[in-house]
Amino acid sequence: MDDRGGGGSFVAVRRISHGLDRTNNTYHTSSAEVTASSAAWLGRGLSCVCVQGREGESRPSFDLTPAQEHCLQRLQNRLEIAYDSSIPRHQEALRALWKASFPEEELHDLISEQWKEMGWQGKDPSTDFRGGGFISLENLLYFARNFPKSFQDLLRKREGVRSMWEYPFAVAGVNITFMLIQMLDLEAVKPQSFVGATFLKLLSENESAFDLLYCITFKLMDQQWLDMHASYMDFNAVMKSTRRQLERELLQDDITRLEELPSYNLLSR
């Protein structure tokens, strides 16, 4: 997804392949991240070796415990599932999302103009799920079920001084899923950044960590939106600012659970 400040399409597009590439472990990361205190990271149960890259630049290489490998594999399996409107389970999840979003209003059909009320681009949400796959629907549904107040506050834009041109809720949610996959580099065979390695440590202790981080990120994004007095064309700049803040919080030395992130406190049930 393009993170430039100006315009562009809201929908991120990610290719969902039939198998992740588990041979390419190369990665280029910022020098600021590499120079983080190695003692602190090793204290979190992360085994990190800095290897020499091109032009003398170092990059981290992380080894995983068997438990972390298992958790990463399970999450990657979820990432590979494309949304398919012909699969009953996917249809049921979509209906459940509508019911959680608008319990007072009956959905007439899975393809309906009603979906635009939630912030989809058209009457068929499946066209927008291409950007994040089935997991982006699962993320929205997890948010609605576990933090219903925050979910409804964002859906209905209840908090703060809102822009005349607001971001569309549902499509923004798909973009958040896509952004987290990129930020955590979840399609790689091993963590390739300190942020990614930290997340896998958290994931090995909480199998719902990705879904929970999604909820935190969505609420943080909306807070950034309000703080920046943003409008529709500022969405990419807001997402970039959200990612920076989330990375800073994940890299704090005393974080052992996602519930300890400062931005977790933005959520309410």
Side-chain angles (χ1 to χ4, degrees):
M1 182 177 61
D2 187 0
D3 60 6
R4 291 171 295 180
S9 172
F10 247 80
V11 182
V13 176
R14 178 173 64 92
R15 177 175 298 175
I16 300 175
S17 64
H18 294 290
L20 296 171
D21 182 0
R22 305 188 181 281
T23 59
N24 184 3
N25 296 327
T26 60
Y27 180 77
H28 303 289
T29 187
S30 67
S31 58
E33 195 177 20
V34 172
T35 56
S37 170
S38 59
W41 296 107
L42 293 174
R44 295 187 185 185
L46 305 176
S47 177
C48 172
V49 177
C50 287
V51 297
Q52 202 73 11
R54 291 180 297 181
E55 300 178 357
E57 184 177 342
S58 296
R59 70 175 187 270
S61 175
F62 297 91
D63 293 325
L64 302 180
T65 66
Q68 290 168 351
E69 286 184 352
H70 176 70
C71 290
L72 176 59
Q73 179 65 67
R74 288 186 62 183
L75 182 53
Q76 288 177 334
N77 289 343
R78 290 178 65 192
L79 300 183
E80 290 188 342
I81 300 173
Y83 179 82
D84 186 340
S85 58
S86 68
I87 298 177
R89 184 169 71 95
H90 292 196
Q91 296 174 7
E92 291 167 7
L94 192 55
R95 288 192 182 95
L97 178 62
W98 176 269
K99 186 173 182 179
S101 302
F102 303 105
E104 72 287 350
E105 183 179 348
E106 182 181 355
L107 179 65
H108 300 152
D109 198 346
L110 286 181
I111 298 178
S112 169
E113 294 289 339
Q114 290 173 282
W115 286 110
K116 294 181 181 179
E117 299 175 33
M118 193 177 177
W120 300 105
Q121 294 191 113
K123 61 183 181 180
D124 183 3
S126 67
T127 60
D128 291 331
F129 281 130
R130 287 184 304 215
F134 184 59
I135 194 172
S136 60
L137 172 53
E138 291 180 311
N139 289 156
L140 281 166
L141 196 50
Y142 180 93
F143 192 8
R145 287 171 169 171
N146 289 272
F147 299 95
K149 184 180 185 303
S150 287
F151 181 88
Q152 289 293 332
D153 287 344
L154 297 185
L155 172 62
R156 301 173 190 272
K157 305 292 194 297
R158 287 172 173 165
E159 297 182 336
V161 178
R162 313 305 307 197
S163 168
M164 181 178 295
W165 296 97
E166 279 287 322
Y167 63 85
F169 172 81
V171 176
V174 175
N175 275 268
I176 289 171
T177 297
F178 180 78
M179 183 269 281
L180 287 175
I181 292 170
Q182 287 191 319
M183 184 186 83
L184 302 172
D185 203 39
L186 293 177
E187 293 176 312
V189 65
K190 288 183 179 181
Q192 298 172 341
S193 67
F194 286 113
V195 169
T198 299
F199 173 74
L200 283 189
K201 178 68 163 53
L202 300 172
L203 181 66
S204 68
E205 297 168 0
N206 178 3
E207 63 180 9
S208 298
F210 185 77
D211 301 274
L212 178 55
L213 186 61
Y214 172 89
C215 301
I216 295 170
T217 306
F218 210 144
K219 188 64 176 173
L220 174 60
M221 184 278 292
D222 188 72
Q223 186 62 54
Q224 296 279 327
W225 177 273
L226 293 173
D227 291 346
M228 294 171 66
H229 305 287
S231 187
Y232 184 89
M233 298 298 286
D234 303 313
F235 181 78
N236 289 329
V238 172
M239 288 289 285
K240 186 174 182 179
S241 176
T242 300
R243 174 170 173 164
R244 285 197 301 264
Q245 177 61 29
L246 197 61
E247 288 174 333
R248 283 193 292 267
E249 293 188 16
L250 284 168
L251 292 174
Q252 293 180 20
D253 290 342
D254 56 348
I255 299 298
T256 60
R257 301 165 60 244
L258 286 175
E259 291 86 349
E260 296 170 351
L261 294 179
S263 291
Y264 176 81
N265 296 320
L266 296 172
L267 289 168
S268 56
R269 297 181 188 274

